[in-house]
Amino acid sequence: MMESGVPLCNTCGEAVGVDEKGEVFVACQECNFAICKACVEYEIKEGKKACLRCGTPFEANSMADAERNELGSRSTMAAQLNDPQDTGIHARHISSVSTLDSEYNDETGNPIWKNRVESWKDKKNKKKKAPTKAEKEAQVPPEQQMEEKQIADASEPLSTVIPIAKSKLAPYRTVIIMRLIILALFFHYRVTHPVDSAYPLWLTSIICEIWFAYSWVLDQFPKWSPVNRITHVDRLSARYEKEGEPSELAAVDFFVSTVDPMKEPPLITANTVLSILAVDYPVDKVSCYLSDDGAAMLSFESLVETADFARKWVPFCKKYSIEPRAPEFYFSQKIDYLKDKIQPSFVKERRAMKRDYEEFKVRVNALVAKAQKAPEEGWSMQDGTPWPGNNSRDHPGMIQVFLGSSGAHDIEGNELPRLVYVSREKRPGFQHHKKAGAENALVRVSAILTNAPYILNLDCDHYVNYSNAVREAMCFLMDPQVGRNLCYVQFPQRFDGIDRSDRYANRNTVFFDVNMKGLDGIQGPVYVGTGCVFNRQALYGYGPPSMPNLPKPSSSCSWCGCCSCCCPSKKPTKDLSEVYRDSKREDLNAAIFNLGEIDNYDEHERSMLISQMSFEKTFGLSTVFIESTLLANGGVPESAHPSMLIKEAIHVISCGYEEKTAWGKEIGWIYGSVTEDILTGFKMHCRGWRSVYCMPLRPAFKGSAPINLSDRLHQVLRWALGSVEIFLSRHCPLWYGFGGGRLKWLQRLAYINTIVYPFTSLPLVAYCTIPAICLLTGKFIIPTLSNLASVLFLGLFLSIIVTSVLELRWSGVSIEDWWRNEQFWVIGGVSAHLFAVFQGFLKMLAGLDTNFTVTTKAADDAEFGELYMIKWTTLLIPPTTLLIVNMVGVVAGFSDALNKGYEAWGPLFGKVFFAFWVILHLYPFLKGLMGRQNRTPTIVVLWSVLLASVFSLVWVKIDPFVSKSDADLSQSCSSIDC
């Protein structure tokens, strides 16, 4: 991609050339995006006067050059189009630049570029002739008009960015700045006015408030530039699905992971698989891989039943455009299913399909009942041979292909998407890395069998709720301008089965509708573990094609021992040509280079560039897999014999395959944390990739959330523990990834926020305890307020309220969802986050892995019964303690005020206000603890009585009702001999 040190244009492939001073032409001084003069002039003429990558406006000299050369450039482009033999370098090198369009290029160049120039010619010709609209319609036949319209649509962008209206965003930013100023004045007052009578309480409160302000900055500023996006699925079809021609849409491999069928019901997993097989996408482009990490025969047998039922379900969904295409959730909808269904046979077929599904459920539930008690000799398959996975910790790898081009067809004789069962090998003494290891095994298996260029991963309880979800993602990934630098497209998580009030903020609406929109305006949303479509090349550790590779330092980083992404090199900065030459010499162990360049070399140069040994150090000992990594557009390698594919796939999921490779370090899902999703997305963004947040009107995917209190707290505990592990690892965003400068600063703040938020639990617990201590001791953390101090406190509270209101205004989140989020922030902070911090440090310092057990008490309620299910766990102790302490403090404070008289009521107001703030935020916890109809567990009653007794004894010892002077007088009187 470089000739004589001059980079090639990322749009057309021609050398960018030099400017009037003889220097390399640079259109954008902000990001140095390589684009030639001709392309810049064309973009300016089309009205696009900003950089394609960063959006920075082009310089004035480029604009002037475009105006001066307008006529000459038109004639030159027209001549190139009319003479295919003289199209020049502009057309011949396109295939070496665009990896997305390389399959569709011919000797005349990129068809998209050609269509753009032709549409420009048509516009100019129409302007010269200037006919009226009626005359044009009379001159051009209707068929030709439709064809021209289709060509014009095919050249238009597949997605559109819709910035938030300035009328909503400008006040929001203004209030943020004002709140920062008020915070500075507030802390100046607090620090310069200590409370000598309660100095320890005052100092503790100051430290807590400073941390809260720091956390607010980390959370707020990544939301500085939120955006919305809309997709154009019709344009995607016009471009890649032309009538009478094979579909040119990219293939997609779906990953579904499950571990324990007793905790993850097979019926729910079956619904997820069925919704994938019935997705609205070409069947030859869809493959579904189910990872059974528990090697359970129940999962295998239920998948056999699912594959058989799919032969009826898939054609029914596509015939009548069913939504959603998970049968359990489709048949449970409380809607008029006859609406918009005009086929008279629909009612009859729907009833038959529902009857078939009920029979399918009976068969699956029978398998579950059978699996409740395993035989002593272990499970056996139908032919009598023992099930290989009887020992879930010691078994060989297993792969079974159920459906696909060579498998069973549906009842109408049509082909079905491929369905593959995968259970990787497990042996004692090997580290298997849980879900991250299972996902990496699926990456390798899918590369051997189908090798789709894009991967969509789902949890086993997240089904496809919108059949066009994959097309929505392709509107970004297959867009020649947008998709080149995209590592993934993230969809929001939506949930079923949650009560209307969402007591424990299971929907996470504030995060998915506020924070993620803000990140989309920077470098892209974080990866949240499910509902995400990946670019396979990004998972392989490659950098984005349009960015130059970083030179590898002479030695590994002294801090992390990693690649140059972590720490900057001490050598002086090199120009692009030097970076390019050094990147060619670097060891492929890091595997960060542009695969699109390989085709430009002959066989001898290619053999020198791609060392087999280097690839084996990076990807492992599989020649078929290594060859598949070179196919940027996917597809099975031609050298791979079909009869050897399954054997090779078994080889790549062996437990020792990843040893001494880059898997889990630089490639695939990254190891080192239970929240591998955040770590994986973080590494991609550090390499310069960006991501996109896609929010279609109909939720793309839906899942089930843990709706009872204990399960929700344990879910939050796992997330927080993963964040602490990342904080204590070499991948901590506080110090990782500074060398390349590819991670934007606001994006870094967002990632820092994702790993330090559990530590907020320490000041939060202290701050929630202070009101009770103040009420019990009669002291306060704030001195007598002056007029200035009152204005500062009032301004701070108003700025907090106004910021929240304006945030809700541009995001569309309801105030109820925002309030639930605030309440559970306190509940989770004083329980799960607190335990995660201590567990993380124990694991790092002492190697202890602490587990908090959960015991279940069944609920009798039918609807939302699980919401009122009581599961006692250690996580419930800190919030219970805070509730009791603050309630006791409020009672003691009112008693003290009644005893002292009118002058005590003024100071009491501030203390009681903070105590009620704590109780109000913990109210959902208290309600969940009591259950329905006040059925409180005995353990909670005993714990409450114990705490009340302890504080009663402390209360008697303090004895605040007797002043010091009265106590001295009583002692002196007792010594008088009456």
Side-chain angles (χ1 to χ4, degrees), residues 550-555 563-564 569 571 582-583 586-590:
L550 295 174
K552 187 178 179 181
S554 57
S555 60
C563 63
S564 58
S569 175
K571 297 180 181 181
D582 288 347
S583 67
E586 69 178 349
D587 184 7
L588 296 183
N589 187 29

Side-chain angles (χ1 to χ4, degrees), residues 158-175:
L158 302 179
S159 63
T160 305
V161 178
I162 304 179
I164 305 297
K166 291 184 178 180
S167 59
K168 296 180 179 179
L169 206 55
Y172 176 66
R173 292 174 174 173
T174 303
V175 172

Side-chain angles (χ1 to χ4, degrees), residues 255-529:
F255 291 176
V256 180
S257 56
T258 182
V259 179
D260 188 353
M262 296 302 174
K263 296 180 180 179
E264 301 163 337
L267 188 62
I268 299 299
T269 305
N271 273 270
T272 301
V273 172
L274 288 170
S275 67
I276 293 173
L277 297 178
V279 73
D280 186 11
Y281 208 71
V283 292
D284 59 324
K285 307 286 186 178
V286 176
S287 300
C288 179
Y289 292 83
L290 176 70
S291 171
D292 178 19
D293 221 30
M297 189 173 178
L298 173 59
S299 299
F300 180 83
E301 289 182 333
S302 63
L303 195 62
V304 173
E305 295 289 347
T306 303
D308 185 61
F309 179 71
R311 299 177 62 246
K312 303 176 184 178
W313 175 251
V314 172
F316 171 75
C317 291
K318 294 187 175 181
K319 182 178 180 180
Y320 296 108
S321 301
I322 299 300
E323 295 285 1
R325 299 190 176 181
E328 180 69 25
F329 302 96
Y330 169 69
F331 290 121
S332 62
Q333 290 182 115
K334 298 179 181 178
I335 60 173
D336 182 13
Y337 64 86
L338 296 177
K339 185 178 180 181
D340 299 329
K341 300 293 188 299
I342 60 175
Q343 296 91 336
S345 61
F346 172 69
V347 176
K348 182 179 178 180
E349 291 192 29
R350 186 184 186 276
R351 289 174 181 171
M353 185 56 60
K354 187 173 183 180
R355 183 168 57 252
D356 290 338
Y357 177 65
E358 293 298 329
E359 295 174 357
F360 166 73
K361 288 174 62 176
V362 170
R363 293 194 298 270
V364 173
N365 290 331
L367 293 174
V368 175
K370 175 185 173 183
Q372 295 296 323
K373 186 177 180 180
E376 295 181 359
E377 66 277 5
W379 299 106
S380 299
M381 294 185 288
Q382 292 182 355
D383 58 358
T385 58
W387 171 248
N390 279 324
N391 187 346
S392 60
R393 299 182 179 180
D394 187 3
H395 64 85
M398 295 177 283
I399 296 177
Q400 176 66 47
V401 180
F402 289 103
L403 305 174
S405 58
S406 59
H409 290 63
D410 62 25
I411 57 175
E412 297 180 358
N414 299 318
E415 183 181 341
L416 288 169
R418 181 171 299 193
L419 177 61
V420 184
Y421 171 88
V422 179
S423 181
R424 58 183 174 141
E425 183 184 15
K426 293 283 188 71
R427 300 298 180 193
F430 287 90
Q431 177 60 264
H432 300 103
H433 301 289
K434 299 181 180 180
K435 181 182 177 181
E439 296 288 348
N440 284 338
L442 287 182
V443 172
R444 297 192 293 272
V445 169
S446 62
I448 298 294
L449 298 181
T450 51
N451 196 33
Y454 302 109
I455 294 172
L456 196 160
N457 82 297
L458 292 173
D459 289 341
C460 62
D461 59 347
H462 275 70
Y463 63 91
V464 181
N465 184 64
Y466 180 38
S467 59
N468 272 332
V470 183
R471 296 176 182 270
E472 295 275 347
M474 290 301 114
C475 286
F476 299 105
L477 293 168
M478 296 191 69
D479 192 313
Q481 293 184 1
V482 179
R484 288 174 54 80
N485 296 323
L486 284 187
C487 54
Y488 59 81
V489 176
Q490 178 66 62
F491 291 87
Q493 292 186 21
R494 305 300 186 203
F495 301 97
D496 286 320
I498 300 177
D499 63 307
R500 183 174 299 178
S501 62
D502 192 15
R503 181 185 296 179
Y504 307 124
N506 281 286
R507 294 190 178 95
N508 284 330
T509 310
V510 173
F511 174 76
F512 286 113
D513 290 8
V514 180
N515 296 61
M516 297 288 269
K517 282 184 179 179
L519 292 176
D520 197 15
I522 310 172
Q523 197 172 347
V526 298
Y527 168 43
V528 297

Side-chain angles (χ1 to χ4, degrees), residues 789-810:
S790 302
V791 171
L792 284 177
F793 275 89
L794 182 62
L796 180 61
F797 283 112
L798 286 178
S799 66
I800 293 174
I801 295 172
V802 173
T803 303
S804 302
V805 170
L806 292 176
E807 195 171 89
L808 299 182
R809 183 168 173 253
W810 65 254

